[in-house]
Amino acid sequence: MFTLFLIGNIASGKSSAARYLERRGALRIDLDALAKRLYTPGSQLVNDIADAFGWDILDEFGALRTDILAQRAFDVPEHARLLDSIVHPVLLERLGAMLLPSNCCSVVTPHYELAVVEISVPETFTDAFGLADEVLAITAPFDVRRARALARGMSQEDFEARALCQPDEDTLCTLADTVFDNSGDEHGLIAYLDAWLHERGLLQGGER
């Protein structure tokens, strides 16, 4: 299985790229969604997050109020780094288990030609890059990304707060083996992705 780490800042088109590759037959792993599935009420991870951000982020059943956590974790970069330091070790262990399944599970584990791991905060996850065959960055100028975010209903304040917690585009690109400039529309992004798949001989059966 070829493993691709897909990185990009908010509204860059990273998720659109991951969804397209999933439609082509890839295994898609959204690291943010995977992290949320680790938030089991009563777990040590949830307790550690509550210790750091306040126990009022839990509802009456002990589950995380993820909207409140997001507000507190992404208000300043220091809080984002704190949350990452708590979640990262557990998340890395789970991701490794998914990408490198043990032999005893090989009979029941579906085979995928390509696995795509969608990563929102790549600069804090570089110690996992050894799991990837390639790291691909989807990049677009700040103004383009802001316009996209506002068009899909995000407030300018929310966009700018989240963007502040992410690396600038030049720094992002230094983390990648390959860079796609997604300043245009989705058709251009799909053309890049199709060419990338063709060059590597992956998923040549067409879109599902």
Side-chain angles (χ1 to χ4, degrees):
M1 182 171 67
F2 190 99
T3 298
L4 175 69
F5 278 14
L6 193 59
I7 64 176
N9 286 328
I10 185 170
S12 63
K14 174 181 81 279
S15 294
S16 295
R19 287 192 294 267
Y20 176 71
L21 293 173
E22 182 180 33
R23 293 197 302 271
R24 289 288 302 268
L27 168 66
R28 178 189 174 203
I29 302 173
D30 181 337
L31 213 58
D32 290 340
L34 179 60
K36 289 178 181 178
R37 291 200 295 272
L38 300 176
Y39 297 159
T40 305
S43 67
Q44 186 61 51
L45 176 60
V46 167
N47 291 343
D48 289 343
I49 293 172
D51 278 337
F53 292 95
W55 284 84
D56 61 323
I57 65 171
L58 303 183
D59 65 18
E60 63 271 25
F61 304 106
L64 279 173
R65 303 178 192 267
T66 53
D67 55 337
I68 299 177
L69 175 62
Q71 291 173 5
R72 297 183 185 176
F74 299 111
D75 56 352
V76 293
E78 290 77 11
H79 289 173
R81 287 192 288 269
L82 174 59
L83 177 63
D84 181 73
S85 71
I86 297 170
V87 177
H88 178 82
V90 183
L91 184 58
L92 179 58
E93 181 180 4
R94 180 63 60 87
L95 179 64
M98 295 177 70
L99 295 176
L100 303 170
S102 61
N103 291 334
C104 68
C105 303
S106 60
V107 175
V108 296
T109 301
H111 172 74
Y112 289 92
E113 190 178 349
L114 172 66
V116 178
V117 183
E118 187 180 345
I119 304 176
S120 298
V121 193
E123 74 277 14
T124 64
F125 213 66
T126 54
D127 58 341
F129 280 16
L131 294 171
D133 294 292
E134 187 172 345
V135 179
L136 170 60
I138 308 291
T139 184
F142 181 87
D143 290 345
V144 171
R145 295 188 292 109
R146 179 173 56 192
R148 289 173 181 164
L150 269 58
R152 67 191 191 200
M154 181 177 286
S155 70
Q156 181 165 321
E157 293 76 14
D158 192 13
F159 169 79
E160 292 181 353
R162 290 172 183 264
L164 186 64
C165 297
Q166 296 181 319
D168 61 68
E169 297 298 297
D170 289 340
T171 300
L172 180 83
C173 292
T174 65
L175 301 175
D177 303 304
T178 305
V179 176
F180 287 171
D181 180 353
N182 188 33
S183 302
D185 59 19
E186 189 168 350
H187 295 292
L189 177 61
I190 288 174
Y192 278 134
L193 293 169
D194 283 343
W196 183 88
L197 290 170
H198 180 75
E199 289 171 0
R200 285 150 186 80
L202 295 168
L203 308 181
Q204 296 304 294
E207 185 172 347
R208 296 183 179 181

